[in-house]
Amino acid sequence: MGLFNRKGSKATSDVDSVTSRASRTTSNLQSSAPKKTMNGSSATLPTSTFNAPLPPPPDPNHDPAAYLRSIYAVRERSKYIHDKAKRNQLVHFDVDSSKFEETAAYLVSIIKRDFASNYHTIPPHGRWQHFEVGGRARIDQLLTSWPSSVDAQERTRRLLDLFLVSVLLDAGAGTQWSYKSKESGKTYRRSEGLAVASLEMFKAGYFSGDPTEPYQVNAAGLNRLSPGQLAIGLQVTDDNPIAGLEGRVGLLARLAEALEGSEYFGSTSRPGSLLDYLLSHPTTQTSTVSIVTIPTFWDALTHGLASIWPASRTQIGGVSLGDAWAYSSMPSRPGAQPWESIVPFHKLTQWLCYSLMTPMTRLLNIQFAGVELLTGLPEYRNGGLLIDTGLVTLKAADTKRGVDAYKHNAMVKGQPSMEVVPTFGAEDDVVVEWRGLTIGFLDDLLVEVNRMLKLEGSKKLSLAQMLEAGSWKVSRQ
């Protein structure tokens, strides 16, 4: 199966290393062995300071679908790609290791520019910051607008309602769409435009089935949302088209189905009721502060929202795996099982985790154990940084194939005029390899960025902070 071939006992040990991790309970991840970074130094990634017993990952030999849907599998499976990347033995990309420190230095320059020495003030990556585009604290203003009779838990539920719908609406809007805020009169595009639009729709009661309670999202409200209503809310017209309007409506309709009668979303059929599920879960520690484990949170999102994702994606044993894809160069061995060729990413579920944790922490001081299980988001902004800095370069044969695909697609009627770039489907080996190496290099860059900033111990940036202030931000400039 290509460059990742293994023979004999070596192949068995590769697979057994996964199953051995699945057979033991992890109390916390701070005891993990130091990893080797791109420049050869040894360091551990910053970990959460709130520890709680974490469950072991599912055993892929017994339940491969559960394993591949777990957060544990994302970094473990991507590691095979990352290891090859560090040796410049990838199938589709060349790696120039001399560019690694330059890439880290670039991120450091951006972080220093925007935060000087106040690195502790960098917020974690999440949807909250998108609502603050233009320097306006819209979420704080929203909270202030509610009467004191709305307690902290209900305020948190409302923000979870808003943030979950806003994240689901945050697909690529296309190059022509924009949104003019009804409150400020300013115009915004892309993720920030969709954030402001979803917030103003939320305040107007678009997602609520009760006109007397506009500040909520529930199944009844989503069920009555038509394509025409969503188009009005997003200011979509012939002159202001948005990509995927019907797809967004369909996604919200499937969300409505998922909310109804779910143990995760309660009798109210609201995303915000996830708060009550987490606080009452037996794995949640409640003493001075409530400590929720990431695997518990992850499982709630994975199982609670399973029905909203396309069933046509990769499956194992009839179970849809979501954002997980076959990669031709994963290690092989005699008698290998189908799951062993699959690399999961679960980017949107991770984005939901990052985004929904913030209101729970800010409003209720809920802490999360095992945050270090989450990875850098394997998407075009973070992955594009590695290409823009020359750390990785698409190989010539794949470049030609991608450009040919672009030219073919450009001939389709209605396609917008844009820069010629290699084009690949989400399932393409090139994209899977790119996303896998992105996860690994973001981990390496975090270690190097902290070293360059001379941050140690509890002062180290978390991965979520580096994403927010560095790798994601630079792609927007």
Side-chain angles (χ1 to χ4, degrees), residues 351-372:
W351 180 225
L352 280 170
C353 277
Y354 282 124
S355 295
L356 299 183
M357 284 191 293
T358 305
M360 287 189 277
T361 298
R362 289 196 185 185
L363 273 66
L364 295 175
N365 195 30
I366 294 173
Q367 303 300 321
F368 292 86
V371 174
E372 57 273 20

Side-chain angles (χ1 to χ4, degrees), residues 93-96 98-111 125 376-394 434-435 437-449 452 463 465-477:
F93 289 88
D94 291 315
V95 178
D96 183 352
S98 70
K99 299 291 186 180
F100 177 75
E101 288 196 10
E102 293 179 23
T103 303
Y106 177 45
L107 294 181
V108 166
S109 70
I110 298 299
I111 294 169
H125 195 40
L377 299 181
E379 42 88 67
Y380 71 93
R381 297 178 186 91
N382 291 318
L385 166 71
L386 309 180
I387 291 176
D388 290 344
T389 59
L391 179 57
V392 301
T393 304
L394 186 63
W434 184 28
R435 298 179 75 190
L437 65 87
T438 295
I439 286 175
F441 277 131
L442 287 173
D443 282 347
D444 284 351
L445 285 169
L446 175 61
V447 173
E448 186 67 9
V449 164
M452 290 182 171
L463 182 58
Q465 288 177 303
M466 188 194 74
L467 295 175
E468 180 63 29
S471 61
W472 196 87
K473 176 178 282 188
V474 298
S475 69
R476 313 290 283 174
Q477 299 178 348

Side-chain angles (χ1 to χ4, degrees), residues 174-252:
T175 59
Q176 297 175 279
W177 179 82
S178 64
Y179 182 82
K180 184 176 181 180
S181 170
K182 296 177 181 178
E183 298 176 357
S184 69
K186 295 183 178 180
T187 298
Y188 304 101
R189 301 177 182 275
R190 302 190 293 180
S191 289
E192 292 82 2
L194 287 165
V196 174
S198 61
L199 172 59
E200 295 188 356
M201 291 175 68
F202 175 76
K203 293 165 73 173
Y206 269 77
F207 310 114
S208 172
D210 184 351
T212 66
E213 296 287 350
Y215 300 111
Q216 64 177 7
V217 175
N218 57 23
L222 295 173
N223 275 326
R224 67 179 178 83
L225 189 64
S226 68
Q229 289 172 314
L230 185 60
I232 292 172
L234 296 176
Q235 300 177 355
V236 174
T237 65
D238 290 342
D239 296 326
N240 189 38
I242 192 170
L245 178 66
E246 293 285 346
R248 285 176 169 83
V249 174
L251 183 60
L252 294 182

Side-chain angles (χ1 to χ4, degrees), residues 6 33 59 62 100 103 131-132 147 149 158 165 168 177 218-219 257 283 292 302 364 387 399 422 433 451-452 468 473:
R6 294 287 188 271
D59 185 340
H62 293 151
F100 177 75
T103 303
F131 292 115
E132 296 186 336
S149 57
R158 291 181 179 188
V165 164
L168 293 184
W177 179 82
N218 57 23
E257 294 178 7
T283 63
V292 175
T302 299
L364 295 175
I387 291 176
T399 299
E433 185 172 278
R451 186 189 70 80
M452 290 182 171
E468 180 63 29
K473 176 178 282 188

Side-chain angles (χ1 to χ4, degrees), residues 156-418:
T156 305
R157 292 187 195 97
R158 291 181 179 188
L159 292 191
L160 294 180
D161 283 350
L162 167 62
F163 281 37
L164 190 142
V165 164
S166 185
V167 166
L168 293 184
L169 287 173
D170 186 26
T175 59
Q176 297 175 279
W177 179 82
S178 64
Y179 182 82
K180 184 176 181 180
S181 170
K182 296 177 181 178
E183 298 176 357
S184 69
K186 295 183 178 180
T187 298
Y188 304 101
R189 301 177 182 275
R190 302 190 293 180
S191 289
E192 292 82 2
L194 287 165
V196 174
S198 61
L199 172 59
E200 295 188 356
M201 291 175 68
F202 175 76
K203 293 165 73 173
Y206 269 77
F207 310 114
S208 172
D210 184 351
T212 66
E213 296 287 350
Y215 300 111
Q216 64 177 7
V217 175
N218 57 23
L222 295 173
N223 275 326
R224 67 179 178 83
L225 189 64
S226 68
Q229 289 172 314
L230 185 60
I232 292 172
L234 296 176
Q235 300 177 355
V236 174
T237 65
D238 290 342
D239 296 326
N240 189 38
I242 192 170
L245 178 66
E246 293 285 346
R248 285 176 169 83
V249 174
L251 183 60
L252 294 182
R254 294 193 298 275
L255 173 61
E257 294 178 7
L259 294 175
E260 291 180 316
S262 168
E263 65 174 307
Y264 306 104
F265 305 114
S267 60
T268 61
S269 299
R270 291 174 56 186
S273 292
L274 182 64
L275 171 68
D276 304 278
Y277 173 84
L278 293 175
L279 289 178
S280 63
H281 198 276
T283 63
T284 297
Q285 296 185 4
T286 54
S287 53
T288 307
V289 297
S290 295
I291 304 176
V292 175
T293 71
I294 287 297
T296 296
F297 187 23
W298 182 268
D299 286 348
L301 291 174
T302 299
H303 295 294
L305 300 177
S307 61
I308 76 175
W309 311 122
S312 59
R313 288 188 175 177
T314 310
Q315 296 187 3
I316 289 287
V319 178
S320 180
L321 303 179
D323 184 14
W325 311 90
Y327 177 58
S328 66
S329 296
M330 291 298 282
S332 65
R333 64 187 177 96
Q337 299 300 307
W339 71 267
E340 294 177 51
S341 68
I342 296 173
V343 183
F345 300 112
H346 305 308
K347 177 257 180 180
L348 191 52
T349 304
Q350 293 207 67
W351 180 225
L352 280 170
C353 277
Y354 282 124
S355 295
L356 299 183
M357 284 191 293
T358 305
M360 287 189 277
T361 298
R362 289 196 185 185
L363 273 66
L364 295 175
N365 195 30
I366 294 173
Q367 303 300 321
F368 292 86
V371 174
E372 57 273 20
L373 291 170
L374 299 173
T375 73
L377 299 181
E379 42 88 67
Y380 71 93
R381 297 178 186 91
N382 291 318
L385 166 71
L386 309 180
I387 291 176
D388 290 344
T389 59
L391 179 57
V392 301
T393 304
L394 186 63
K395 293 186 177 183
D398 288 299
T399 299
K400 181 181 184 305
R401 181 167 65 88
V403 170
D404 288 344
Y406 167 86
K407 292 177 179 177
H408 177 76
N409 186 64
M411 299 299 291
V412 178
K413 185 177 180 180
Q415 289 296 313
S417 176
M418 57 184 290

